[in-house]
Amino acid sequence: MKTNNRQSIIAATNWLKTAQDITKDDGVSGWFSLVSGWRASYIETTGYIINTFFDLSEYFNDIELKERAIKMADFLLKMQLPNGAFRVYTPKENSSEKVVVFDIGQDLLGVAQAYEVTRNKKYLNSAIRAAEFLLSIQEKDGSWIKHTYGETKHTYHTRVAWGILRVYQISGLSKFKVAAVKNLRWAQKQQLNNGWFKKNELPPPNISVPYTHTISYAIEGFLWSGLILNDASLIKTALSGAVPLLNYYLKNNFLPGTFDRNWNSSDKYSCLTGNAQISLMWLELYKITKNKKFLHASVKMNNYLKSKQFKKLPLVGINGAIAGSDPIYGDLLANKGYCRLAYLSWATKFFIDALLIEEKVRSEKT
């Protein structure tokens, strides 16, 4: 079956290129708000957008996209503090030297790949310094409390563990593997028998149940770490978290923005960011399990996401991007939604990732 994935990827890529150019510092703008316009460079998400641009460079055989990814990595190095941590805000946006564990983990993903692509040791040294900072504040049980959102433990820090494992891969330093595994084992204990994760919601003023965005973050950390470590238990944990989402979607033809501990939700809106991430995870799990339900659900979800992408609007802040919520204003009656009235760089990034994997799976089947 022919698809228009390539056109959607091109449109989304062009929007991200605009989001980088608009900042004038080589980072990528966090979002375009229908209320306030473009945000400054978002250091955290620039970190993992680097990975997408390296993938896009291969997909299109386009050296400019590789060069853009390297510029993003150089931007991150400028945002690194003497203690090794990456800032939350650019100095231009906020003079605070605030740092957040989760953000640092995402930046590690980009810097690690920048080293693998360029072999420039400045990226290796940067990644090691940042990872050592994370180790210096890690709790004995493997979790993090210091410098976290809400100063509390989060299961979605599995994605930080994955970032640390990437530093282990490029450095060979076993202390990073030990620290990452310690966090992953702690996080496994947060999963209920039905696959749902405790301690996985964003802190107040957010709602008290996790968005599909953070549910997927946790699953991603387990899956990618499990593949790096060849650890079947971690992959099984990821699978246990993904299957209830799969079953709900196939039954209801809709994924609500949040889920409670019983996999129930009263939400009337969908979190497009989480949907894109989940689609990506379903495709990866299809590659592992060969369960065609994962493939069917992911293709269906990707088609839905493509239907929410504008491709012919004159507004550069909208054309090609993916919004935070659908509807974009969320649930007005309940006053709920995820990043309402905004088009997000990370939602658009995950959308591209999901389509790239679908393209790869299709090419392998033909």
Side-chain angles (χ1 to χ4, degrees), residues 11-70:
T13 302
N14 286 338
W15 185 86
L16 283 177
K17 288 165 67 174
T18 299
Q20 183 181 27
D21 293 340
I22 207 80
T23 66
K24 308 299 184 185
D25 59 14
D26 292 330
V28 181
S29 172
W31 57 74
F32 178 82
S33 167
L34 295 179
V35 177
S36 57
W38 289 102
R39 185 197 188 273
S41 289
Y42 201 0
I43 299 170
E44 171 207 336
T45 56
T46 296
Y48 55 46
I49 290 172
I50 290 172
N51 307 115
T52 300
F53 267 65
F54 279 131
D55 291 343
L56 285 168
S57 177
E58 290 189 14
Y59 177 73
F60 289 116
N61 191 26
D62 186 340
I63 189 67
E64 185 221 348
L65 295 172
K66 176 182 174 181
E67 291 170 348
R68 282 180 174 273
I70 293 170

Side-chain angles (χ1 to χ4, degrees), residues 17-293:
K17 288 165 67 174
T18 299
Q20 183 181 27
D21 293 340
I22 207 80
T23 66
K24 308 299 184 185
D25 59 14
D26 292 330
V28 181
S29 172
W31 57 74
F32 178 82
S33 167
L34 295 179
V35 177
S36 57
W38 289 102
R39 185 197 188 273
S41 289
Y42 201 0
I43 299 170
E44 171 207 336
T45 56
T46 296
Y48 55 46
I49 290 172
I50 290 172
N51 307 115
T52 300
F53 267 65
F54 279 131
D55 291 343
L56 285 168
S57 177
E58 290 189 14
Y59 177 73
F60 289 116
N61 191 26
D62 186 340
I63 189 67
E64 185 221 348
L65 295 172
K66 176 182 174 181
E67 291 170 348
R68 282 180 174 273
I70 293 170
K71 286 181 178 179
M72 293 178 203
D74 288 339
F75 161 78
L76 290 184
L77 266 57
K78 294 174 185 176
M79 298 299 111
Q80 193 165 23
L81 297 168
N83 63 7
F86 294 99
R87 306 170 63 104
V88 172
Y89 305 107
T90 63
K92 186 184 300 184
E93 182 184 18
N94 190 317
S95 60
S96 167
E97 292 190 351
K98 179 180 179 181
V99 301
V100 171
V101 164
F102 185 79
D103 296 23
I104 299 167
Q106 310 324 294
D107 293 333
L108 286 176
L109 296 172
V111 175
Q113 191 170 359
Y115 173 68
E116 288 177 330
V117 171
T118 67
R119 308 310 294 183
N120 190 320
K121 288 191 175 180
K122 69 180 181 180
Y123 302 120
L124 174 62
N125 294 334
S126 171
I128 289 173
R129 289 175 54 223
E132 285 179 337
F133 173 81
L134 291 173
L135 266 61
S136 74
I137 60 171
Q138 188 175 29
E139 301 295 313
K140 290 182 179 180
D141 64 3
S143 65
W144 283 276
I145 297 177
K146 296 177 182 177
H147 299 296
T148 64
Y149 292 123
E151 300 297 317
T152 188
K153 302 179 180 184
H154 300 290
T155 305
Y156 55 75
H157 281 155
T158 54
R159 226 175 182 276
V160 178
W162 172 30
I164 294 173
L165 279 175
R166 292 289 288 117
V167 182
Y168 161 68
Q169 285 186 303
I170 63 174
S171 70
L173 296 173
S174 60
K175 63 182 179 181
F176 296 132
K177 177 181 177 181
V178 171
V181 170
K182 186 181 289 187
N183 175 259
L184 292 162
R185 297 306 178 208
W186 172 84
Q188 280 184 305
K189 296 175 184 177
Q190 310 311 312
Q191 189 174 45
L192 304 184
N193 291 334
N194 66 359
W196 191 83
F197 300 104
K198 299 182 292 182
K199 302 184 185 301
N200 206 36
E201 68 278 357
L202 294 172
N206 292 281
I207 52 181
S208 59
V209 289
Y211 293 106
T212 52
H213 174 48
T214 54
I215 292 172
S216 187
Y217 267 158
I219 294 171
E220 291 164 39
F222 282 119
L223 181 58
W224 295 119
S225 297
L227 290 172
I228 290 173
L229 297 169
N230 194 24
D231 187 319
S233 74
L234 294 175
I235 296 172
K236 182 179 178 181
T237 299
L239 191 63
S240 297
V243 166
L245 294 165
L246 174 75
N247 292 338
Y248 189 101
Y249 182 61
L250 291 177
K251 179 180 178 181
N252 298 283
N253 196 32
F254 172 75
L255 274 185
T258 67
F259 282 98
D260 66 18
R261 64 190 296 120
N262 296 311
W263 292 107
N264 293 323
S265 179
S266 61
D267 292 338
K268 306 300 182 186
Y269 74 95
S270 195
C271 172
L272 294 182
T273 312
N275 289 353
Q277 293 171 263
I278 290 163
S279 179
L280 171 63
M281 289 296 98
W282 285 341
L283 279 167
E284 290 295 337
L285 289 169
Y286 164 72
K287 289 164 61 178
I288 294 169
T289 67
K290 304 305 178 185
N291 183 339
K292 291 185 178 180
K293 286 185 177 180

